[in-house]
Amino acid sequence: YNWHVIPNIDGHNPDAILQAIKEAKAVTDKPSLLCCKTIIGYGAPNLAGTEKTHGAPLGEDEVAGARKKLGWNYPAFVIPNDVYAAWDAREKGTAAEASWQDKFNAYQQKYPELAAELLRRINQKLPAHWQEKSKSFIQTANREGESIATRKASQKALNQYGALLPELVGGSADLSESNCTHYSLSKDINREQPGGNYIYYGVREFGMSAIMNGIALHGGFIPFGGTFLVFCDYARNAVRLSALMKQRVIYVYSHDSIGLGEDGPTHQPIEHASMLRLTPNMSVWRPCDVVETAVAWKKAIEHVNGPTALLLTRQTTPHETRDENTLNQIERGGYILKDCGGTPDIILIATGSEVSLAVQAFEQLTAQGKKIRVVSMPSTDVFDAQDAAYRESVLPAAIRKRIAIEAGATGYWYKYVGLDGTVIGIDRYGESAPAKAVYQALNITTEHIIQTCGDYL
Amino acid sequence: YNWHVIPNIDGHNPDAILQAIKEAKAVTDKPSLLCCKTIIGYGAPNLAGTEKTHGAPLGEDEVAGARKKLGWNYPAFVIPNDVYAAWDAREKGTAAEASWQDKFNAYQQKYPELAAELLRRINQKLPAHWQEKSKSFIQTANREGESIATRKASQKALNQYGALLPELVGGSADLSESNCTHYSLSKDINREQPGGNYIYYGVREFGMSAIMNGIALHGGFIPFGGTFLVFCDYARNAVRLSALMKQRVIYVYSHDSIGLGEDGPTHQPIEHASMLRLTPNMSVWRPCDVVETAVAWKKAIEHVNGPTALLLTRQTTPHETRDENTLNQIERGGYILKDCGGTPDIILIATGSEVSLAVQAFEQLTAQGKKIRVVSMPSTDVFDAQDAAYRESVLPAAIRKRIAIEAGATGYWYKYVGLDGTVIGIDRYGESAPAKAVYQALNITTEHIIQTCGDYL
């Protein structure tokens, strides 16, 4: 792989290590790998060289023996003054910081706008007109009412928000065309164009996710990267670290259910939406149409203290009509999309591509005089973070006839429907067929919702 | 890696491929890798060589053009007789099968016991005295009442069941000592001892899981392999394939919660137990003591149509006392471990290391005259598969004051406690400290259970 490798360094010999570091620093056209040979638990008279020094304390006698062997004659936790002085970097650090600050002050005087922009990005602030322009985009999307796949809606959102956010760094694990992550302002990063903003990660979901963690930790950029939802399995560990480290990394997971159709069970996520929701600090959005997708992207960008997963359809989803007030509720994660007059008999809760099935059931049942409410719940974590009064207004505790509908594992949804509720979902693996046929075969249909309502009424 | 590599084969030239296969077959001391150079969508006049031929149908014109270019003059789905005849392997296959059967019949006559044993293993049957001996082991464990970590209880179970099951093939991803997967009859597999039954997989959770899938698909063996629960993330994809392919692979996941202590949040699973439960066909057991661990292993071995995950503690768990009837209920996945007379006011549902906290709360509250039931729920999927009458007897629909306790994500448990219930769990990352201190800090305590009961009563 064209590394500069220094093998067989005696890892217990400081001079040998220093020599290797000097040698490595002299090589400036490639990365260096220093291979130090060491003995585990070096110095411990009886346990050195065994796995017993890895996971358990050495014990008093071994520690005493190791001190003797290493010529370390100080009490526990005492650092001799000469060692302390040799490692004291405060003066050097203060000088380095002051020098950097002088340089930045000069830059700021010469280029006040660029300096302000740099500080904005490093401090994770959004541009001045962000709120105004993002809201305007969402309103336009609501007015235009286009019916397209939410992965395409995601690309539309990127076209808009991308123009406001030069700090976006996109990419995909070899699925740019399918994830719709490449947008109008994407400039590929390569040898000729190191200043681009789009990375072709290859079929490397783990590498992509880990690199995005690094970009986020560096600061000044907002990384986002795409793959199919089911392939988040290949990156679970790195995705979990985004969440554990509370980094703003945006995962664009398209092909989010059996609705992807022909690729079949290996490609059809079942448990993944719930798995991501159960991962602490991870915000998850599964929007139902262009409008919710625009809101999901806005919330992902504004969510600076953790990652967001956007779960998007391959297949077309219909636009849902909303008045201004309903539109403004989307960002609360869960909201009343359709309602009856008075107290509903049944609440339907749905996400993503299943919202339209719930709305169709609502329309048919409403025409029959039934009292139904449809709650669209694109983000359970954002909904859970709302105040109790709002949550009660959407899902009143007294209404127990509840049906959750999601083309995925059912277990998590009892949190919202309780012991008297029903979950219409999928607790098995999918099938390979066109999307509509798979939905029919696995009984994720308007008819099934209407029938379940009938059982209640 | 010491492969025999044949590069640059023209992948569109059958003769070149045949030649390469012959060359590869002649090399018998290493595996061969044949690298065929091909053009994607070869033959399609306008789309060949582009990604457009990967995921979408070619369309009529391109298909017609490709047929012309490839000289294929037959209608769609028609296979010419000469091609069909050349690929017809029925005669050859019948002869091969008959020859194998003759060989096996001769073997069976000469070694009737060995042949019967081979057929038993291949047909996934358990040995004649399996039920009797496994039950006797479970009863002994219940009588002895030892209090040890469930990972150690797992090793005890292996010592017993292993003696009955020569088809077990164990291993660990570099954590044999910690997972307690190496047992009294383990014989390491290596160059000198290819007939062993224990594989040192190295730090390769994915490789281990994928290899176990292969062993299970081959048949005749029962593979099991260990790692820490949190590291199942590194193998999610292979673990999911065990489940999708319904293979009997046994995952031994020790260090199953914050109870692992000092290694801290990167090593402490939170969402993992629920994630595995939501994965279709995966059976999950989180036993609370030696006895439940013995039952969990028995059920894992008897579960021939899918994988099982055994979630085991690092820390000691106390033995729970049970009468004969209670003992027999464990294999139903969830059962009444402690009960009051008459109808309970509150049901506590707990798994694994949290069962003892629930039992302590039960004892204190019972002493105060409260009516409490403790349900131990080591396997939710096995419990869910019981008949409705049994489930109702354990968790009566009318009793809504329910508290689930598990040192992990809470979301899944509302399935059992409903909208009126409470889940005592952990919806954040853990902390590095001794197990008891972490439990205290994250409020997974008997006091918290008692206080929550107080709120209900």
Side-chain angles (χ1 to χ4, degrees), chain B residues 142 285-289 291-293 295 320-339 347-350 352 355 359 373-379 382-383 386 390-391 393-395:
Chain B
N142 194 46
W285 284 83
R286 187 167 186 261
C288 76
D289 65 1
V291 183
E292 282 192 4
T293 306
V295 174
E320 302 297 341
T321 54
R322 297 172 189 84
D323 61 21
E324 189 76 13
N325 180 47
T326 306
L327 181 66
N328 291 335
Q329 308 293 326
I330 299 176
E331 65 178 29
R332 307 190 81 155
Y335 64 100
I336 302 169
L337 175 61
K338 303 285 167 188
D339 209 3
I347 301 177
L348 305 178
I349 308 169
V355 168
V359 169
R373 168 179 293 182
V374 177
V375 170
S376 180
M377 184 76 88
S379 177
V382 173
F383 179 73
Q386 301 303 310
Y390 177 75
R391 284 183 281 119
S393 73
V394 176
L395 298 175

Side-chain angles (χ1 to χ4, degrees), chain A residues 234 236-237 271 400 420, chain B residues 234 236-237 271 400 420:
Chain A
Y234 287 89
R236 258 293 298 170
N237 24 35
E271 67 276 32
R400 294 302 174 97
D420 305 306
Chain B
Y234 286 90
R236 259 293 296 169
N237 22 36
E271 66 276 32
R400 294 302 174 97
D420 304 307

Side-chain angles (χ1 to χ4, degrees), chain A residues 230 233-234 236-237 240 243-244 265 268 270-272 274 278-281 400 414-415 418-420 429, chain B residues 230 233-234 236-237 240 243-244 265 268 270-272 274-275 278-281 400 414-415 418-420 429:
Chain A
V230 82
D233 276 354
Y234 287 89
R236 258 293 298 170
N237 24 35
R240 190 174 200 253
L244 202 159
Q268 292 168 353
I270 297 291
E271 67 276 32
H272 300 78
S274 296
L278 291 168
T279 304
N281 303 344
R400 294 302 174 97
Y414 290 93
K415 182 175 172 187
L419 300 174
D420 305 306
Y429 293 96
Chain B
V230 83
D233 277 355
Y234 286 90
R236 259 293 296 169
N237 22 36
R240 189 175 201 254
L244 203 159
Q268 292 169 351
I270 297 292
E271 66 276 32
H272 300 78
S274 296
M275 173 178 102
L278 291 166
T279 303
N281 303 346
R400 294 302 174 97
Y414 290 94
K415 181 174 172 188
L419 300 173
D420 304 307
Y429 292 97

Side-chain angles (χ1 to χ4, degrees), chain B residues 202-219:
Chain B
V203 189
R204 295 185 190 91
E205 296 82 6
F206 174 79
M208 174 175 77
S209 309
I211 289 169
M212 291 200 293
N213 286 340
I215 292 171
L217 285 162
H218 173 279

